[in-house]
Every structure is written in structure tokens, then in C-alpha cells.
Amino acid sequence: MMATRFDPRVIRRDFPTLEQLIHGKPLAYLDNAATSQKPQAVLDALDAYYEHDNANVHRGIHELSRRATIGYEEAREKVGRWINAKESAEVIWTKGTTESLNLVAMAWGLDHVAEGDEILISVLEHHSNIVPWQILARRRGATLRYIEIDDEGRWILEDLDTLLNERTRMVAISHVSNALGTINPVQRVIEAAHRVGAVVIVDGAQGAVHTKVDVQALGADFYAFSGHKMCAPTGTGVLWGKRELLEEMSPYQGGGEMINVVSRDESTWAALPHKFEAGTPNIAGAVGFGAAVDYLADIGMDGIIAHEKALLAYALERMAEIPGMNVYGPRSLEERSAVISFTLGDAHPHDISTILDTQGIAVRAGHHCAQLVMKHFGVSSTARASFYLYNIEEDVDRLVEGLGEVARIFG
Amino acid sequence: MPKTMETPQLSSLYQQLILEHYRNPRNKAELDGKSVEIHMANPVCGDEIRLQLRIEGNEIAEAKFVGQGCSISQASVSMMTTLLQGRSLDEAGTLAERFTDMMHGDEDAAKDRTLGDLRALQGVSKFPVRIKCALLGFDALQEALKKEVSGETN
């Protein structure tokens, strides 16, 4: 579909949550890296599903079950097309990026990682792309190795050839950093990892939101992402994987839907993707995810990306004017997505967030589930403003004004 | 439909006394000869303290802390340590209870003179997500007292 001219002021009207006053002020929602707001189209899709089509999927012969199954599977096809998967059977529904990563760590990792093997991750990772690998490494007696980062929060890849070796089984890396917004050169690492025969999973929790993802062009073996950060309901996520890897993997959880035949001592598994979808899935969530992808496709990723970049450039410029401001992450716009992590003087990020909240401005304060990144920069936490398609320059102006209030109280 | 909610006043939260304790925390140092140490963290925001007490008989002879965090958590623990020196374990327990009451909106507790400077933190009770910050030091204190009573000191 042809995208119309990108206008965030028109787009904002699609999001009912943005229309409210918080503590008497209009809401400036700048916590998008945590989760996005939902457009009316997604809310309508959820309502329509529950009002008309609600039933369990792949089980009943009756009409409602047929409709629920169609909605659930059509959504899978939409999301598959969105990331350019070869086939929708490679799209596994999960409850989010975290579950997708854990699924691979357990269902692939336990069978393929042995004592003395190595798993390579990076210091930039979210805890959900560190802890599952620590658990796996401990259970298997494997070693966890790290790609280090420089003072702008970018991977140091000079020693990549020694970090990767014939013992490396798995490489788990983020496409875009949630803590700093760094857009990582994943392709280079994927190619190098494949040269030593390692399997690569990309954490796309932020990457799927802020870049145009083509899993075939990217060349990774798995790509994990969440729906709720890209306009879909909470509790939705995807694990995309190459068919040949998914085929030979053990199931992650046992139960209904994922079996073919169950006998007393053993069972056979359902075909992809159902092998990894035990139990009644989040059907409404999947339907909502499909509606979110339709909504984003209608607007067009090119417009969204260009808008986010312009807003990011404006925000970085305005924030640089504030005395005592310390912005973390890459200086170059090309290497940064719509996330700004910062500290201001000796005001603790938690205090910054409270002061901004009283003015209706929502930012995140804390370690952003990236304690290794915080440690690297010698801070315990930062404040983080993150943008999405519906944010406007006025949101940035109000953030800057709010930070003035922080400086006044703590100055 | 626009929704509105009660707007808490920032001025009631960030009183000068709180900011002063944040900038110049009292008793912030490693304690020599400590009899009990409790580590307490709030993983949501990264606030973290180690409360150290030297206990003689039934009395807190000395209280110090090390740590980092927001103005509310650090001011609260700083103020708390100034009040703990020379207090009996029972008095310390009562102090923790009174402060917790004040955080949960008890107006009488907020007038209790035994809370000293800590009364400046009354405004925190209007900011529900920050109550945990103010209680960090007291949670550590209560943990320490429990340990002391059960005799598991190091």
C-alpha cells in the first residue's frame, strides 16, 4: 500500500492513551523503548476477536474455532511477510523477546552446547540476552565470552577473530541496544560467526521497532522480537528461525497443540510452527499483532525511521544546551536509534523521572536491564527518553523544559 | 476523554533538608568493628546500601552506611543513622515502625518528634512509587534487628 505523507500529529490521533492529562498536563510519552502505546486499529481488532470469533485454535470443528484459527494464522503470515521470512512456519509465537531467547537457549542450547564450548554475547546486551546464556553455560560447563564496548557504547570488533573460534557454538547479540540506542553492525558478526560454524541469534526487541528487518538479508539463524514495543498487545512476541534449525530442535515445552501422537512412553511432535506452541496460545494477542503490522505497513517504515531520526537529532541538539547534561551512546546519528540515555548533574535518574512525571512526561529511570552497560560507564543508572512514530518536537521541548526544573531543584 | 488525577507537589518532596542530606550524607563510611551488616537493594532503580551497626549489649553503639541511589533513599538512610546512635534495639525497632507508618500516610506518625529530621520525608508518602526508596534504609534496619535478636551476628 502507498504510504501517505508522514504526519505525527495525525498519527497521534490514532492512539487514545496519548489524549489524556497526567497530573494536569498533556502526556508526553517518552518511554517507548519499554513498551509502545497501541493504536485504535489494534484495540478494535482485539475487541472484534473477543466479540465475534473467540474460541480455541486448531482444535475444534465448529465455526468459531475455524475463525479463531484463521485469524491466528493470518496474523502469523502478516508478521512473517513483515520480516521477510521465507515461510510463515518459521514464525513461532512467544510471549515476547525474552521467551524467544530462552526458547533457543534451552531447546537448541541444551542439545548443542557441550563442556568446553563457548557462547559469545556482548556487554551491550539486555539481561534477557545474558541470563539465559549464563544458565545454559552453567548447566553445560560452557564458557561465556563478551564483545566489549568503547566509550560511545559501540562494539569493539578488532579482536573478533579471537573471540570467535572453533569452540564457539552460539553467538547472541542485539540488533539495537535498548540502553543506549546503538545500532550494532550485526551483519559483520553474523558473517564471522558463520565462518567458524557458530549459530547466531539476534535480539531484535528494539531492532524490529526502529529498523526495517529482512531476516533473509540479515542472514542470522534466529531473530527474536516483541510485539508490544511495535504497537501490538503485551504478551506477544516472535521467534523467527531457519526451518532446518527449528526442525531438528527439541520442543521447548510439552503439552497440547505441540504433539502429533501421544502414547504411554513417548510422543511425536507436531509440524512447525506448532511444535513450539504448547498450550492455548495468546490468540487475541496474535490477532492484535497482525493488526499492528497492518497499521505500521500502512504508514510505512521509511517514514517512521526518517521521523525518528529527525526527532533524535533535534532532541540531542536541544539537550546539549543544558548545563550538566551527560548523554551516553554513539555521537553519530547513523549509529544511533531513537533512544537517549542521560544523566544530569548530581540529580539521580530516579529523581529526574519523578520531577518529569509531575509535568506529564514519562521517561524511564534505572539500569534498563543492562547492568553491564551501566557498569561500563561507571553509573548505577541513567534516565532514558525514547521516541516513536507519534512523538513530536513539542514532546522534546517539554522534556528540555522539565529538565530545567530538575536543574533548578538540584542546582 | 481526558482523565485527570491529583497532582502531588514537588516542593513537598524535595525539601532543602533532604537535598542537604543527599549532598552531605551523615555516617557514610565503612564501620570498624561492625557487629552486623545488611545489604539492601532496590533492583527497580539500582538504589543500594550496606547498613553497618556496632551493637553493644542491647544498644546500637554506632551506625554507618555505604551505598548509592536517589536523593530520597540516601537522605532517608543518612537521617536514620543520625538517630540510631545510642538507641536501644527496641527503640530502633519502634523508630522503623513509626517511619513506615508515616510513609503509609499516618498523620500522627508524621508529628512524632522522635522521627527528627526524618519528618521532612513525609511528602514522599504522596508519591507512591517513591515510598520504597524512603524505606530502603529502614528495611535494612529491620533485617539487622531481626538478625540480632535471633543471634546470627557475624
Side-chain angles (χ1 to χ4, degrees):
Chain A
M1 194 180 288
M2 271 299 289
T4 46
R5 203 181 73 83
F6 189 94
D7 185 350
R9 288 182 187 281
V10 174
I11 286 169
R12 284 175 77 77
R13 293 187 213 130
D14 296 334
F15 292 81
T17 348
L18 298 178
E19 284 171 27
Q20 64 187 305
L21 300 179
I22 299 289
H23 306 309
K25 313 268 170 53
L27 169 63
Y29 185 76
L30 299 176
D31 193 17
N32 294 289
T35 196
S36 76
Q37 298 303 334
K38 320 304 174 200
Q40 191 62 50
V42 169
L43 304 179
D44 289 347
L46 290 174
D47 278 351
Y49 168 76
Y50 278 124
E51 283 171 14
H52 302 288
D53 306 330
N54 178 53
N56 216 325
V57 289
H58 298 295
R59 294 200 189 133
I61 303 295
H62 60 81
E63 173 63 13
L64 288 193
S65 175
R66 188 187 70 86
R67 279 195 232 152
T69 304
I70 288 172
Y72 182 69
E73 292 304 329
E74 274 182 358
R76 194 193 306 274
E77 280 165 29
K78 286 174 187 178
V79 173
R81 279 196 297 273
W82 179 252
I83 57 170
N84 194 29
K86 212 181 265 175
E87 49 172 328
S88 65
E90 292 180 334
V91 174
I92 315 291
W93 293 123
T94 64
K95 63 186 163 83
T97 309
T98 299
E99 190 179 41
S100 303
L101 294 165
N102 277 277
L103 193 165
V104 173
M106 291 301 121
W108 187 89
L110 285 176
D111 287 341
H112 293 87
V113 175
E115 195 171 344
D117 283 347
E118 294 182 5
I119 300 162
L120 179 65
I121 64 176
S122 94
V123 169
L124 215 44
E125 301 311 309
H126 187 283
H127 295 166
S128 62
N129 201 25
I130 298 173
V131 181
W133 309 113
Q134 287 176 339
I135 293 171
L136 173 63
R138 181 175 292 182
R139 283 177 70 171
R140 280 292 173 234
T143 304
L144 207 53
R145 301 188 73 180
Y146 283 90
I147 298 172
E148 299 295 331
I149 54 174
D150 66 14
D151 60 1
E152 289 187 39
R154 298 171 302 187
W155 287 342
I156 297 170
L157 295 177
E158 276 78 49
D159 52 352
L160 186 60
D161 289 338
T162 54
L163 285 172
L164 288 166
N165 57 65
E166 71 286 353
R167 294 314 305 258
T168 313
R169 289 289 165 270
M170 168 58 79
V171 177
I173 45 174
S174 53
H175 194 170
V176 172
S177 155
N178 76 303
L180 303 174
T182 320
I183 300 172
N184 293 314
V186 279
Q187 216 143 4
R188 183 174 159 196
V189 177
I190 292 166
E191 284 161 16
H194 283 166
R195 281 197 293 274
V196 298
V199 161
V200 183
I201 183 164
V202 173
D203 168 357
Q206 302 297 330
V209 187
H210 302 294
T211 69
K212 228 176 179 171
V213 175
D214 179 335
V215 289
Q216 294 188 64
L218 200 63
D221 301 289
F222 298 102
Y223 195 90
F225 60 108
S226 298
H228 71 91
K229 292 183 203 286
M230 46 186 284
C231 296
T234 52
T236 58
V238 163
L239 172 69
W240 168 85
K242 285 181 181 162
R243 174 178 275 277
E244 55 271 31
L245 285 160
L246 294 171
E247 287 282 8
E248 54 103 29
M249 272 161 67
S250 301
Y252 176 50
Q253 293 179 327
E257 176 127 353
M258 54 74 69
I259 46 85
N260 187 11
V261 177
V262 176
S263 53
R264 282 189 180 231
D265 295 324
E266 56 181 13
S267 303
T268 54
W269 315 137
L272 290 178
H274 309 297
K275 182 169 97 176
F276 295 103
E277 294 179 2
T280 298
N282 182 357
I283 307 164
V287 169
F289 202 161
V293 161
D294 281 344
Y295 177 80
L296 293 170
D298 208 15
I299 292 168
M301 270 314 276
D302 291 335
I304 295 172
I305 293 168
H307 170 67
E308 288 179 355
K309 280 279 178 200
L311 212 51
L312 178 68
Y314 179 66
L316 287 170
E317 188 189 311
R318 295 252 15 224
M319 286 170 73
E321 296 163 8
I322 303 170
M325 174 59 59
N326 197 353
V327 171
Y328 301 88
R331 279 185 275 274
S332 126
L333 277 180
E334 284 73 50
E335 292 174 292
R336 185 195 273 268
S337 139
V339 171
I340 303 179
S341 223
F342 64 95
T343 52
L344 180 57
D346 72 347
H348 191 277
H350 215 173
D351 294 313
I352 294 175
S353 181
T354 290
I355 294 167
L356 294 176
D357 179 57
T358 60
Q359 300 173 38
I361 304 160
V363 299
R364 173 86 184 264
H367 51 59
H368 318 296
C369 298
Q371 290 185 2
L372 301 186
V373 176
M374 298 297 113
K375 197 167 178 222
H376 175 82
F377 288 104
V379 293
S380 63
S381 64
T382 66
R384 180 186 71 185
S386 49
F387 309 105
Y388 201 24
L389 74 169
Y390 40 63
N391 288 118
I392 48 179
E393 285 196 353
E394 196 184 317
D395 293 334
V396 174
D397 293 338
R398 291 185 49 216
L399 171 66
V400 171
E401 206 176 300
L403 292 172
E405 178 70 3
V406 174
R408 198 187 58 73
I409 290 171
F410 278 85
Chain B
M1 270 294 273
K3 294 175 206 149
T4 53
M5 59 188 79
E6 193 198 341
T7 304
Q9 291 300 311
L10 273 183
S11 52
S12 72
L13 184 64
Y14 292 112
Q15 299 204 3
Q16 279 313 313
L17 193 57
I18 295 173
L19 295 173
E20 203 272 318
H21 271 271
Y22 175 53
R23 297 252 160 74
N24 307 298
R26 321 292 196 270
N27 306 307
K28 189 172 177 179
E30 295 280 348
L31 175 59
D32 291 332
K34 61 182 179 250
S35 34
V36 57
E37 175 179 78
I38 300 291
H39 176 257
M40 195 63 69
N42 178 356
V44 178
C45 51
D47 287 352
E48 194 175 5
I49 57 153
R50 280 185 293 122
L51 178 68
Q52 303 173 339
L53 306 177
R54 184 162 58 79
I55 293 169
E56 285 174 4
N58 191 36
E59 190 185 288
I60 297 173
E62 222 176 335
K64 289 192 188 297
F65 80 103
V66 284
Q68 55 181 7
C70 67
S71 62
I72 305 301
S73 71
Q74 301 303 296
S76 171
V77 67
S78 164
M79 290 170 177
M80 180 186 83
T81 57
T82 63
L83 291 175
L84 288 180
Q85 323 288 339
R87 294 287 175 108
S88 74
L89 299 183
D90 279 351
E91 284 169 340
T94 308
L95 187 73
E97 277 169 29
R98 291 304 274 164
F99 184 78
T100 306
D101 289 344
M102 182 174 84
M103 281 303 105
H104 293 142
D106 184 332
E107 297 282 338
D108 286 339
K111 291 184 189 120
D112 191 335
R113 289 176 159 275
T114 60
L115 288 177
D117 284 358
L118 284 166
R119 284 172 297 176
L121 287 159
Q122 191 202 352
V124 178
S125 66
K126 302 284 191 303
F127 291 79
V129 296
R130 303 302 299 278
I131 293 172
K132 262 179 109 164
C133 307
L135 288 176
L136 189 70
F138 284 95
D139 288 346
L141 174 62
Q142 281 181 320
E143 198 68 29
L145 295 175
K146 219 189 291 170
K147 225 173 163 182
E148 193 59 26
V149 169
S150 64
E152 297 172 27
T153 52
N154 48 5

